[in-house]
Amino acid sequence: MEFFANLLGRMDLSYFWHGWVQFGAQLTLIGAVVLVIGLLTYFKKWKWLWREWLTTQDAKRIGVMYIIVAVGMLLRGASDALMLRLQQALASGNSEGFISSDHFQQIFTAHGTIMIFFVAMGLMFGLINLVLPLMIGSRDVAFPTLNSTSFYLFLAGVVLTNLSLIYGEFGSAGWLAYPPLSELAYSPGPGIDYWLWSIQIAGVGSLLSGINFLVTILKHRAKGMTLMKMPVFVWSVLGAMILVVFAFPILTGTLFMLSLDRSMGMHFFTSDFGGNPMMYINLIWAWGHPEVYILILPAFGLFGEVVATFSRKRLFGYKSMVWALMAITVLSYTVWLHHFFTMGAGGNVNAFFGIMTMIIAVPTGVKVFNWLFTMYRGKISFASPMWWFMAFVATFALGGATGVLLSIPAIDFQVHNSLFLVAHFHNVIVGGVVFGYFAGLTYWFPKIFGFRLHERLGKAAVTLWTSGFLLAFIPLYILGLLGATRRLDHYDPSLGWQPLFIVSGIGALLIGLGIVVQLAQVVYSIWKRRQLRDTTGDPWDGRTLEWSVPSPAPHYNFARLPIVSTRDAWYEAKHGGNQVFSGEYKDIELPRNTGFGVYVGILSVLFGFGFIWHLWWLVLLSSVALIYVIIRRTYDENITYVIPAADVERLDTRKAAI
Amino acid sequence: MTDVKNTVAPALEDESQKPSIFGFWLYLMTDTVLFASLFATFIVLRGRTAGGVSGEEIFSLPYVFIETLILLISSFVAGLALFTARARRKALTISLLLVTGLLGLAFLAMEIHEFRTLVTEGHGWGTSAFLSSYFTLVGTHGLHILIGLIWLGVSIMFILQRGFTDRFLTRLTMWSMFWHFLDVIWIGIFTIVYLVGIV
C-alpha cells in the first residue's frame, strides 16, 4: 500500500476542487478541449491534422500553429485581466469582491506569465516563422526539425500551465516568482513548480529557436543579399535572436537552481543556510530585461516594413535604423538593475544603471523619428496595419516617457512596486509589442492564407483597443502616484481610489470588446474570402521578397531562388530594376514530415508533470524515453524528399510575371 | 602538395562552413552562458558556508589534478579519433573512441566518489549555500560528461552498424567539439572552484 502511495508522489484528490470561480474556469477549459476533440472526430480530421499540421516541417505552418496557440492563450490571459480589473473595481470597504486572496495571487501570476511567455513570445516566433525565410529568399529555416521541436516545447509549457488550472494550482508569487516567497518554506504546494516547469520547458524551446534563426539569417540568405541589404525586419530579428541566445541560458540556469532548492533542499536563494535571494533577482532580470527587448525588437522591425510599404517610400535612414537596433541589442544587457533600484546596491551603482537606462531610450527615439520621416511626403494609404502603427506611436511614446521617468532612481524610490510601474510596462508592451504584432498579422495574413482580413472590422478593433487601453491604464498612472501598490486585492474606501479603478475596469472591457471584434474579423474574412482574395501575391505593393511569390506562398517558398542586388529587391524589380528570378529550374529538396517534435513535446510534459508532483519514476521514464527518441532520430536516414525540376516549372504560376 | 591537402584539410574546411556546425558553435556559446550563471552564483555564494565547511577544508588538490589530467588526455584521444574517422579507419577509430570513453568514465567515477565522500562526511548539498552551489556547478559539468559518454556510446554503435556516413561524420565533429568544450569548462572549474578555493 505504501509502495503505491509513493508512486503517486504528492498527488491528492483535493487538488481538483478550489471553489466555484475556479470550477467555472475548469469547466470552460475542459469544455474547449472536448469541443476541439469532438469536432476533429466528427469531421474525421485526425489524420489530416497529423499529416498536414502536427508533423509538418514547413516554417509557415509551424508559424500558423504558434499563432493559433498564442491567440488561445491571449483569450485566457485577457480573461485573467478582466477578473483582476473586476476584483479591484469591486473590492473596497465591506465588499471583498468575488475572488479570494490566494486565488487573486494565482490569477495575476498566471496573467503575467501567460501574456509574456505564451502570447508575446508565441506571436513573435509565429510571425518570424511565417515570413523570415521568405524575406531572406530561403526555402526554409536552417534546421526544420529543430524548429518544429521548439514549437512543441513551447506547447508543452502551454499545456502544463493550463493543466494547473484543472489539477493543482498555479504559482502565486508573481510572474517572476521572487524567492524567498517562492521557496519551499513559504510556497509548499505544486503551484510554483507548475510555473517553474512551464517556463523552463518553453524557455528551452525559445533558446533552440534563437540558435535556429541566427543560423538561418547568417547562412541562408539569398545570393547577393549582403547584411546591409537585408530588410530591416530581418535585422530586428537578428538582434532579438542574439539576445535570446545570450539571455535564455541565464533563465534556464536560474530556474534550474530554484528547482534544486525546491526539490533537493539546496540553499541558493533561501533565507537561511547562507542562501541569497537577491542573487536570484539579479539573475532573473539579467535575463528579464533583454527579454523585453527580445519582444519589442521584431515589432520595431516590422513597423519599418509596414511604414515604408504604406508610405510608398524607401525607409528613411536605413543605416541609422540598423545601428539603433544593434545599439539596443548591446545596451539591453546593461540596464537590468533598474528593476530593483531599491535593493540597496548604493548610489553609484544606481546612478550607472539609471544613466544606461536613459541612454537606451536614445536609439529607440531615433527609430520613432525614422518612421515619422518615412511617412513625411510619402503617399500614405491608411490601411489597418497603418492604424496599428499610429496607435503604437502615440501610446508607445507615452510609455517611453514614463520609462525615462522611472529610470531616475530618486523617482523610482517613490513609485516602485506601484500601479505607476504597472501602467508603464503595459504601456510599452501593449502599445509596442501587441500593437506591433497585430500590425504584422494583418500585413502578412494574405501571404499565408491567400486572402486579406476585413479592413473596417480591423480598424474598429484598433479603435477599441486604443481607447480601451488609454481608459484602462491612464487611471493606473494616477493611482500609482496616489500610492496604490500593485497586486492589491482589497483597499480602504477612504483612499478614494474606487472611481479610478472602475474607469480602469471599463477600459479593460473595451479591450475585451476589441478582442471579440478581432475574432469576428477573422471569421467574417474567412466567410468573405472570395471577395478578399489576393490574386496578385502582392496586395499592398510590397517592397521585400515575400511579396514576390504567389499568395498563399507555396510550401517550397520559391520555385527559383531569388538573386538580390539592392535593398527593397522586389520593389526595384517591379520598377525596372534587376530581375529577381532567372535561370534554370532545379530540383528542390525539402524535409520530410516527422513526428519527432510531437514525441519530444509529449515526453517533456510528462517530465515536467513528474517533477511537479514528485513522481520520480515518471521523471526517469520520460528521460529515458527522450534519449531513446533522439537516438532513434539519428538512425533516420530518409529525411528529405525531392520535387523534380520539371514539376517545379509546371507549378510555378509566377514565371510569366517577372 | 595538393594530394596532402585533399586528404584531411579540405574536409575540415568544408565542415566548418556547414550550417549545422555553425549552429553547434552557437549552442556551445549558450551552454557557456548557462555555466557562466552557475559560476557567478558560486562566486557569490562561496563564502556563505553557514557555519559549515569551506572549500579549503574539503578539497584535495592532487585528487582533482588527476581528474583534470584524465579529462585532458581523453580530449586528446578524442581529437585523434576524429582524424582517424575522417580517414575512415574503422577499427582504429573505435579503439580510440573506447579509450576516450574509458577515461571519461574514470573521470566520472572519481567525481562521484568525491561527492559520495562529501555526503557521507556530512557535507551534503543541503548544508550550506556554498555546498549547494559547489555541487550544482561541478555536478552540472558531470551531467554534461554523462551525456557526452552516452553520445559516444551511440556513436560507436553507429560506426559498427552503418559505418562512416557523411551525416555521421558531421555529428562526430559536433561530439568532439562538445567534449573539448567540457574541457574548457573544467579548466574554469579547476581554477575558480579548486585552486582559488584552496590558495
Side-chain angles (χ1 to χ4, degrees), chain A residues 142-143 207-208 210-212 214-216 218-220 244-254 256-257 260-261 264-270 272-277 279 283 627 631 633-639, chain B residues 16-24 26-31 33-34 37-38 40-42 44-45 48-50 125-137 140 143 150 154 157-159 161-162 165 167 171:
Chain A
F143 313 117
L207 180 58
L208 295 175
I211 296 174
N212 205 342
L214 265 186
V215 179
T216 307
L218 293 175
K219 292 276 183 191
H220 279 240
V244 166
V245 164
F246 283 107
F248 268 80
I250 309 178
L251 177 74
T252 310
T254 313
F256 177 52
M257 289 186 262
L260 288 175
D261 271 4
M264 290 186 63
M266 290 202 182
H267 293 286
F268 282 105
F269 312 124
T270 53
D272 49 5
F273 292 95
N276 186 349
M279 191 61 204
L283 285 169
I627 294 171
I631 293 174
R633 174 70 185 167
T634 66
Y635 276 83
D636 210 345
E637 305 272 358
N638 187 17
I639 52 172
Chain B
S16 67
Q17 289 304 310
K18 272 189 182 168
S20 50
I21 296 290
F22 177 58
F24 201 75
L26 285 177
Y27 155 72
L28 290 183
M29 264 162 57
T30 66
D31 221 355
V33 178
L34 176 77
S37 46
L38 295 180
T41 312
F42 175 80
V44 168
L45 298 180
R48 294 171 164 258
T49 52
W125 49 76
T127 340
S128 71
F130 156 66
L131 284 168
S132 299
S133 61
Y134 164 76
F135 273 101
T136 305
L137 174 55
T140 306
L143 192 67
I150 295 174
V154 173
M157 288 298 287
F158 197 94
I159 299 174
Q161 290 170 324
R162 304 252 173 112
T165 64
R167 284 179 65 224
R171 283 204 300 270

